Amino acid sequence: MRSLFDIRRLALAAFLLLALVLAASAQDEDFGKNKIQWKKFNWSFLQTAHFDIYFYQDSYDIAKFAAETLESSYVAISDQLNYRLKKRVPTFIYNSPNEFQQTNIISDILGEGTGGFTEVFKNRMVMPFDGSYEDFRHVLHHELTHAVTFDLLYGNSFGSILTRGALFSLPLWFAEGYAEYSSLHGWDYWADMIMRDATINGYAPPLEYVGGYLAYKEGQLAIKFIVDTYGIEKISEILNKGRVLLTMDKASKRVFGMDQKEFSERFMLYCRKLYWPEIARRSEPKSIARQLTDHEKDGSYFNERPAFSPSGDKIAMFTDKSDYTEIVII
């Protein structure tokens, strides 16, 4: 019969082995890539009731804006989820996306499209200021929904790290969809435009298969569907049932009376009822306007954020038709 000391030693060895395996797998993903850090950051911080906000250089005003935004956003999120944070949330703010890409808070190589991230177990939020206070507000609120959700799901689950099957894996569409729904005050024209096009043209996949950027917007509409059909309280019910039952299927059956597949089918029907009538009411864009970009011909993946010149005769926009992001003028 093993002694208590032997059992603890074996558990510690298993934990260290798991940590080594996870570290090795993370290194394999970025093998051959270098995260270059060319600047030294001298961090300062300010505290609010629920956050430790770290900033550097002459960024006190940005940190103060973040403090006010996070506290006001926390009021909304905690009311929506009927949950209060159990511990303070560290928040790191970089002065630009380029400096954000140097972060050593995580080892992953951050792409240009990464607007921020929240660690699952340490629950640290990290994000850059890109010059737009509205974009910054959106990212702060978005990442805070993850922090509150992670605290709800995993705040007291350190022992479960040894057995990953003992943790609830929240589907991407739900996690990102709720983050967008909460941070954008429910629904917005951009998400509506994307989901209208995806539904009418048939490229919106079932929720269990959705990924990439579409998971954010389709997930946002799925959360809107839940709130409009069943009530806002169902968001927190899913999280609390998932924490106990450990799978989305079981949580969905308990909350909605159907598994995730059936819920997805009802949601897709909701999308078709919502957007298919638009076909009869709207004119084809080509019949009323001239197309200025064509991704099928120039090989671009995105052409977005157009801005008119003061005289109105030119448009500046972001495009990747040259295989890298650039600003062009039409």
Side-chain angles (χ1 to χ4, degrees), residues 9-25:
R9 186 170 60 181
L10 287 172
L12 177 60
F15 176 77
L16 292 174
L17 178 61
L18 176 62
L20 289 172
V21 170
L22 292 176
S25 63

Side-chain angles (χ1 to χ4, degrees), residues 81-204:
L81 299 183
N82 191 26
Y83 180 79
R84 305 295 179 264
L85 285 167
K86 296 295 188 295
K87 54 188 177 182
R88 304 173 66 80
V89 179
T91 305
F92 294 81
I93 298 171
Y94 286 85
N95 291 350
S96 71
N98 284 340
E99 293 178 352
F100 167 66
Q101 289 178 328
Q102 300 176 55
T103 185
N104 59 6
I105 292 176
I106 60 172
S107 61
D108 303 56
I109 303 295
L110 300 177
E112 290 183 0
T114 304
F117 64 85
T118 302
E119 292 180 290
V120 177
F121 294 110
K122 292 183 179 179
N123 221 15
R124 296 182 293 187
M125 300 190 299
V126 188
M127 64 211 65
F129 176 67
D130 69 354
S132 167
Y133 280 94
E134 172 53 27
D135 288 349
F136 192 42
R137 181 211 62 78
H138 173 214
V139 172
L140 286 165
H141 190 131
H142 179 107
E143 294 302 329
L144 181 55
T145 64
H146 294 322
V148 176
T149 300
F150 292 156
D151 193 62
L152 187 160
L153 293 175
Y154 314 124
N156 299 311
S157 302
F158 180 76
S160 298
I161 300 176
L162 291 175
T163 54
R164 294 173 68 86
L167 296 177
F168 175 45
S169 180
L170 191 63
L172 182 65
W173 68 264
F174 191 100
E176 300 299 349
Y178 170 62
E180 289 291 272
Y181 180 89
S182 181
S183 61
L184 293 170
H185 313 295
W187 196 233
D188 66 297
Y189 76 92
W190 180 259
D192 186 67
M193 177 183 68
I194 291 173
M195 286 310 301
R196 180 190 299 114
D197 187 72
T199 302
I200 290 175
N201 291 290
Y203 63 84

Side-chain angles (χ1 to χ4, degrees), residues 13-41:
F15 176 77
L16 292 174
L17 178 61
L18 176 62
L20 289 172
V21 170
L22 292 176
S25 63
Q27 291 174 357
D28 288 343
E29 291 176 1
D30 294 324
F31 180 78
K33 300 179 181 179
N34 294 318
K35 178 180 283 191
I36 300 173
Q37 296 171 324
W38 64 87
K39 184 172 182 177
K40 183 178 181 180
F41 303 101

Side-chain angles (χ1 to χ4, degrees), residues 123-316:
N123 221 15
R124 296 182 293 187
M125 300 190 299
V126 188
M127 64 211 65
F129 176 67
D130 69 354
S132 167
Y133 280 94
E134 172 53 27
D135 288 349
F136 192 42
R137 181 211 62 78
H138 173 214
V139 172
L140 286 165
H141 190 131
H142 179 107
E143 294 302 329
L144 181 55
T145 64
H146 294 322
V148 176
T149 300
F150 292 156
D151 193 62
L152 187 160
L153 293 175
Y154 314 124
N156 299 311
S157 302
F158 180 76
S160 298
I161 300 176
L162 291 175
T163 54
R164 294 173 68 86
L167 296 177
F168 175 45
S169 180
L170 191 63
L172 182 65
W173 68 264
F174 191 100
E176 300 299 349
Y178 170 62
E180 289 291 272
Y181 180 89
S182 181
S183 61
L184 293 170
H185 313 295
W187 196 233
D188 66 297
Y189 76 92
W190 180 259
D192 186 67
M193 177 183 68
I194 291 173
M195 286 310 301
R196 180 190 299 114
D197 187 72
T199 302
I200 290 175
N201 291 290
Y203 63 84
L207 288 172
E208 58 266 37
Y209 301 111
V210 68
Y213 181 68
L214 198 57
Y216 289 69
K217 299 295 103 178
E218 188 169 335
Q220 185 180 351
L221 183 56
I223 298 298
K224 181 179 184 300
F225 168 65
I226 291 173
V227 173
D228 292 348
T229 307
Y230 304 99
I232 187 68
E233 65 276 3
K234 296 300 180 183
I235 305 300
S236 62
E237 284 188 37
I238 281 287
L239 295 173
N240 283 288
K241 295 300 181 184
R243 180 177 59 179
V244 175
L245 301 174
L246 304 183
T247 70
M248 189 63 178
D249 269 348
K250 292 179 179 179
S252 182
K253 283 181 180 178
R254 188 67 62 88
V255 175
F256 303 121
M258 65 190 91
D259 61 20
Q260 190 177 192
K261 185 175 184 297
E262 186 179 350
F263 174 83
S264 177
E265 290 172 352
R266 292 201 181 185
F267 168 67
M268 299 308 291
L269 177 61
Y270 165 83
C271 291
R272 292 193 291 271
K273 287 182 176 180
L274 182 63
Y275 289 120
W276 279 4
E278 295 281 326
I279 298 175
R281 292 199 295 262
R282 292 178 178 267
S283 301
E284 278 290 309
K286 291 182 179 179
S287 66
I288 59 173
R290 180 166 62 92
Q291 185 172 347
L292 298 179
T293 62
D294 192 335
H295 70 93
E296 293 181 350
K297 290 183 179 180
D298 62 28
S300 60
Y301 182 74
F302 65 81
N303 301 279
E304 64 176 9
R305 300 204 178 188
F308 280 97
S309 65
S311 59
D313 61 340
K314 295 182 178 67
I315 297 175

